[in-house]
Amino acid sequence: MEPALRAVCKDVRIGKILIQTNLDSGEPELHYLRLPKDISEDHVILMDSTVSTGAAAMMAVRVLLDHEVQEDKIVLVSLLMAELGVHSVAYAFPKVKIITTAVDKSLDDFLHVIPGIGDFGDRYFGTDGSDCWSDEEDHEQPSY
């Protein structure tokens, strides 16, 4: 998502927040943080490829708020979100704008969005980090 943003907005300042879910506890953990100076004055696009429970996205919003970014200046952009994630973020941070291309109904036992797209990171980087998703089209298709 970052390369696409850079292609459109050549002079955009980029920060990094790495939050991963602890597989044992299911809780998000902050692993890396590097934000531009004076971020408190900026509008911030928070990009997360998939949002399942919303816990990691909410932690990222909290990090931005702790760095004095105003809640109404944060836009969460995601390729895919579960309904739970949308509702969790919207309830916790009602002034954060949410933009997503799709919302799927539920999560599986591994907290992946279903029917979903599998693990975005594994697909993007061509790794096989999980055996709990497949490329088969045997899932019920959403009706639009």
Side-chain angles (χ1 to χ4, degrees):
M1 294 173 65
E2 181 185 326
L5 178 63
R6 284 188 186 275
V8 174
C9 303
K10 305 280 187 214
D11 62 346
V12 68
R13 297 188 315 154
I14 300 284
K16 306 268 183 177
I17 303 174
L18 174 59
I19 297 172
Q20 293 180 319
T21 301
N22 180 308
L23 298 178
D24 294 327
S25 69
E27 295 296 318
E29 296 177 345
L30 178 63
H31 290 275
Y32 181 79
L33 175 64
R34 183 171 182 153
L35 299 175
K37 291 181 181 178
D38 303 323
I39 193 169
S40 63
E41 304 297 319
D42 295 337
H43 283 83
V44 175
I45 300 172
L46 178 60
M47 298 186 297
D48 190 347
S49 58
T50 55
V51 175
S52 56
T53 66
M58 289 188 297
M59 179 181 269
V61 170
R62 183 77 254 158
V63 166
L64 293 171
L65 294 175
D66 289 347
H67 285 82
E68 300 182 12
V69 175
Q70 295 175 25
E71 186 177 327
D72 62 348
K73 289 187 173 184
I74 300 171
V75 180
L76 173 60
V77 177
S78 181
L79 298 175
L80 177 66
M81 296 180 77
E83 280 185 357
L84 175 61
V86 173
H87 293 298
S88 297
V89 174
Y91 180 78
F93 303 105
K95 294 180 183 176
V96 169
K97 294 164 196 71
I98 299 173
I99 300 172
T100 186
T101 61
V103 177
D104 280 349
K105 293 263 181 220
S106 57
L107 303 172
D108 64 14
D109 292 338
F110 301 101
L111 300 179
H112 291 150
V113 181
I114 53 174
I117 56 175
D119 186 291
F120 181 82
D122 288 337
R123 288 179 182 256
Y124 183 80
F125 294 108
T127 60
D128 187 19
S130 176
D131 292 331
C132 59
W133 56 267
S134 72
D135 291 323
E136 296 177 19
E137 293 293 326
D138 60 353
H139 300 291
E140 180 181 327
Q141 295 298 314
S143 58
Y144 296 100

